[in-house]
Amino acid sequence: MLRFNERTLSARQPAAVRRDTRPSAPPHRPRATLALTSAATAVALMTYTAPMVTLPDTAADLHTPLSAQAWLLNGTPLGLAALLLVAGSLADDYGRRRVFLTGTLVLGLTTALGGLTTSTLLFTLARIAQGAASAAILASSLGLLVTAFPSPRGRLHATGVWGAFVSGGIAAGPLVSGTMPSWRVAYGALGAAALLVAALGVRPLKESKAPRGGRPDILGALTFGSALVALVAALILGRDGWLRTPVALLLAAAVAGMGLFTLVERRTRTPMIDLSLLRHPRFLASAAGGLFTGLTVIGLFSYLPALLQQTLRLSAMNTAWLLLLWSGLSFVVALQAKRLAGRVGPRRQLAAGFLLHAVGALAMLGAIDAGSWPRMLPGLVIGGVGGGLLNAALPLVAVESVPTERAAMGSGAQQTFRYIGSCAGVALTIALVTSCGGGLARGADVAMVVSAGLAALGAVSVLALRERV
């Protein structure tokens, strides 16, 4: 009788009330979200690192002079740096799933088209487009993860796995491009992988956003992007002489663009970045972590594979296997770094990662001059451990440095500094290696010493920028 009365009462209730009493389906699928964002991030980093071991063949095929080879490496970080902050803001306001899927689709198309280019200019433009698409993926991924994993423990796990796949993509890129018959086939394969991830993500991913109202900050995006393009172009051209007129004009344009961007952000209702965050040590530590990671780790290891091929006469495949020791260890350490939670804070992990990179860079001194790749192994091991700590701590620091609803913007801001640093780091490394007297081996040693010094400065910066109680 009791059951009958309950059913009768339920039947007499209004439909709206009955719907409210039903258990609602979970709005997000955490495991699927983690798998898809990690896979897309890995593919984005694979396209970023693919030219590391194919740079000599790509330059020869495209008839790229030595003075312009930095553009072949810096195209993607230029697109990343210019659009990461824009992509993060758009993802928070207009839908992280929408931005993520659009970025993954565009990455697949532009990567495949990059393999069909026939000139340095077209290849560089394709690489810039890949960077812009990767910016959409990287910025929106952490926003999707923060929503799918709302608890601190779940967020720690998710950002740790995601950071490990950053290392995994860095590791897999040179291997994939090295095993393919040509760099063009490698780009076709990577483009197909990105398109596959985009197709798989249509159904499982759920939309999330934190709308603030107002219009998109188009003027802010244009001024910020223009300033970054001018800055990166100046850094690349500066390796042939910093006192030349074009370099000075580009640097002036970058400064003027950033000044105009600051004015725009102060006046708009929905700025891409809340400039008041620049007064918070936690946000500044996140930015410093990204900047020095680009300057030191990415700057050195982006050009090191090509340098090994030129000096030690290693094949592309052998170079990829050698670099796998560094990037593979980075992947494993990043995946296991979550075990440090509660004992070592993410800021201290960043400092430890920078110091280990510095030790690793110094341990490789003299190896190229001696013509001995085995002498590089200890440095690659130590640097790999340091890189893993950095990749595990950086995403967690990024999402903790901003309010939860602005996680994608926080990720975009940190990674903007990361890829500005990488553009400067690659240009600086190539300039030091090719411009120092005594040949490439001597230049390589100078570049390693400078990278180690900058890493030590990065460690000091992230430790000094702590919250005042």
Side-chain angles (χ1 to χ4, degrees):
M1 180 66 69
L2 179 60
R3 293 180 180 174
F4 173 79
N5 288 340
E6 286 177 344
R7 288 196 299 268
T8 304
L9 179 61
S10 177
R12 290 177 180 174
Q13 287 178 332
V17 175
R18 292 201 303 271
R19 282 196 298 270
D20 287 343
T21 60
R22 295 174 185 175
S24 59
H28 298 279
R29 298 171 62 181
R31 291 184 179 179
T33 301
L34 179 57
L36 288 165
T37 54
S38 297
T41 298
V43 174
L45 269 297
M46 288 167 69
T47 62
Y48 180 91
T49 58
M52 285 184 177
V53 297
T54 60
L55 180 62
D57 291 340
T58 305
D61 199 8
L62 299 178
H63 306 290
T64 306
L66 181 62
S67 60
Q69 287 185 16
W71 285 105
L72 302 183
L73 291 174
N74 269 339
T76 295
L78 173 58
L80 278 162
L83 288 186
L84 268 165
L85 193 56
V86 179
S89 184
L90 289 175
D92 282 334
D93 288 343
Y94 299 100
R96 294 152 187 156
R97 174 185 180 272
R98 182 178 302 166
V99 171
F100 175 84
L101 292 178
T102 301
T104 310
L105 176 63
V106 173
L107 177 65
L109 295 175
T110 54
T111 302
L113 290 174
L116 301 176
T117 56
T118 56
S119 70
T120 301
L121 175 61
L122 292 176
F123 181 80
T124 301
L125 291 175
R127 293 282 290 170
I128 293 173
Q130 290 166 30
S134 298
I137 295 170
L138 297 178
S140 60
S141 289
L142 283 179
L144 287 168
L145 289 178
V146 166
T147 306
F149 293 87
S151 70
R153 182 179 179 85
R155 190 173 301 167
L156 175 66
H157 167 73
T159 56
V161 172
W162 187 85
F165 272 84
V166 170
S167 299
I170 293 172
L175 282 177
V176 170
S177 57
T179 55
M180 294 293 173
S182 70
W183 66 271
R184 296 184 184 278
V185 176
Y187 269 66
L190 292 173
L195 293 175
L196 177 61
V197 174
L200 292 174
V202 172
R203 290 180 63 87
L205 292 178
K206 302 298 181 182
E207 189 60 279
S208 67
K209 55 185 174 180
R212 296 174 291 166
R215 297 179 179 179
D217 186 13
I218 296 177
L219 185 57
L222 290 175
T223 53
F224 185 76
S226 300
L228 283 185
V229 169
L231 174 62
V232 173
L235 291 172
I236 294 174
L237 294 178
R239 62 179 296 271
D240 294 324
W242 292 101
L243 300 179
R244 294 184 301 146
T245 301
V247 177
L249 291 175
L250 286 169
L251 288 174
V255 172
M258 291 306 297
L260 183 58
F261 171 72
T262 302
L263 292 176
V264 169
E265 296 304 280
R266 290 185 182 278
R267 293 176 179 272
T268 185
R269 288 180 52 199
T270 53
M272 287 195 307
I273 182 172
D274 182 358
L275 296 179
S276 66
L277 289 171
L278 296 175
R279 296 194 295 268
H280 293 274
R282 184 175 294 182
F283 181 81
L284 292 176
S286 173
L291 178 66
F292 281 100
T293 298
L295 273 172
T296 59
V297 180
I298 301 177
L300 178 63
F301 282 97
S302 289
Y303 189 64
L304 185 60
L307 181 63
L308 293 177
Q309 292 180 64
Q310 295 175 41
T311 55
L312 302 185
R313 305 303 177 188
L314 296 178
S315 67
M317 197 61 218
N318 287 336
T319 304
W321 282 115
L322 183 60
L323 267 292
L324 180 63
L325 180 63
W326 166 73
S327 54
L329 270 173
S330 180
F331 172 77
V332 173
V333 171
L335 203 57
Q336 298 300 318
K338 60 185 178 183
R339 300 179 185 274
L340 296 174
R343 296 192 295 270
V344 181
R347 219 167 23 89
R348 293 185 181 276
Q349 286 186 43
L350 287 180
F354 283 128
L355 291 176
L356 286 172
H357 170 78
V359 173
L362 294 176
M364 292 189 290
L365 290 176
I368 293 178
D369 190 32
S372 172
W373 63 262
R375 282 186 55 179
M376 303 190 70
L377 297 181
L380 293 173
V381 169
I382 298 170
V385 175
L389 291 176
L390 291 171
N391 286 331
L394 282 170
L396 188 59
V397 170
V399 299
E400 288 183 346
S401 68
V402 295
T404 302
E405 66 273 10
R406 300 291 283 148
M409 185 276 291
S411 171
Q414 183 198 80
Q415 294 183 81
T416 297
F417 283 101
R418 178 172 179 158
Y419 290 105
I420 290 174
S422 75
C423 289
V426 168
L428 177 63
T429 300
I430 294 177
L432 291 173
V433 170
T434 58
S435 302
C436 291
L440 295 178
R442 171 64 177 167
D445 284 346
V446 173
M448 290 173 188
V449 170
V450 171
S451 181
L454 289 172
L457 181 59
V460 172
S461 299
V462 297
L463 287 176
L465 290 166
R466 61 182 183 272
E467 297 286 353
R468 271 72 172 177
V469 180

